Amino acid sequence: MKLTRLIMGMPITIEIIDIFALQRDFNDVFTLFKKIDATFSPYKITSEVSRLNRKELQPEDMSLEMREVLQLAEQTKKESDGYFDVYRNGILDPSGIVKGWAIKKAADLLTNKGFKNFYVEAGGDIQVMGKNAAGENWRIGIKNPLDHTQHVKIISLSSGAVATSGTAVRGAHIYDPTSGYKVADQILSLTVVADSIYDADRFATAAFAMGTKSIQFIQHKKGLEGYMIDTEGIATLTTGFEKYA
Amino acid sequence: MKKILLSLFVITTFLAYSIHEKDEANEAMLEVPKAREITPRPSSAVSRGMYKNGTYTGTVEDVFYGFIEVQAVISGGRLSDIVLLQYPNDRKTSIQINEVMIPILRQEAIVAQSAEVDIVSGATESSIGFRDSLKAALAKAR
């Protein structure tokens, strides 16, 4: 059974192959995403993030989930040489880390329910477990950033995760308004494969703006493989990427 | 003697690299004003293309990770530049990557695959937000 819902402004799809899956199991996962959105969205004025930013909520009164996310954000900041930061101009915005963390939580929830073969996908980021409906490895296509109707590489995974960061505009001069760093005219997309979607997502996000250097950053991170597509339509692969082909 | 030569070589390489990086950083810095100097109002210049010359700001699109807002620059009646006013990415100006051990990575031209897949990975939401914001900016330029 496969179901898709629009939550957090993006389509979230869950497919469970195990035959004992019930509608209720899907609902539990969608509810989890809704709860996470209500807590972490910086665009909902009632969210915990917004209340922290307005100083209505003191750090000592933060929820356990918030503590966990902030601790993981701090860890990611260290692991990306200070590159990844959930605070910008003193304003907390953990969006860059919450999506991967939420997919991981969703997958853990399904594992705890006893499911072995399923996937959770949110806005193009995926955690797969076990095997697909044909009893084979899950086959994940990397979307062509120049033509969204196509996929240009197929990743074969049993249990693992794939996340892609990118932009769709080719040939345009795109600047980061805060640093002036030229971004999207260097690379179009960076796909990261890892055991956990949490790692794949946060490192795809952190590395993307490094431009063409991002693939070297992924190459040097243990447990990560990457596929980077530049503006010329040329892909660069990390040395271990081929094992997924 | 060999050791001295080797050390000299390493030092020279490092110096050359530092200068190169510094130049690159300067170049990157120079590009900021270019993006910022644009006055946010349409000019009355004659246009030959489908749009009126000027700078137009698109709508702010919520893409969950943050907001996307683009500015379209029209010159000669054509879209000549896109300036990203807001973009959801966590990044800082200084990027430190260990450059010492850089393996040569394999490259390939991307080719559309015909084989079926279970799931597709891609950065859709940012792209859609980008497109919508740009579309709104271009609508103003007509």
Side-chain angles (χ1 to χ4, degrees), chain B residues 39-104:
Chain B
T39 35
R41 79 182 99 84
S43 77
S44 55
V46 187
S47 87
R48 293 184 304 272
M50 63 188 298
Y51 300 115
K52 285 186 226 120
N53 288 352
T55 303
Y56 304 89
T57 303
T59 45
V60 178
E61 298 291 331
D62 181 353
V63 291
F64 177 67
Y65 310 100
F67 291 116
I68 281 194
E69 187 183 19
V70 305
Q71 199 171 56
V73 182
I74 312 290
S75 58
R78 299 167 74 176
L79 177 64
S80 65
D81 204 354
I82 299 170
V83 181
L84 208 60
L85 300 177
Q86 291 188 53
Y87 190 73
N89 239 323
D90 299 273
R91 69 175 77 99
K92 280 194 160 182
T93 39
S94 77
I95 303 160
Q96 294 162 8
I97 305 172
N98 182 359
E99 301 273 5
V100 182
M101 293 277 289
I102 295 184
I104 294 171

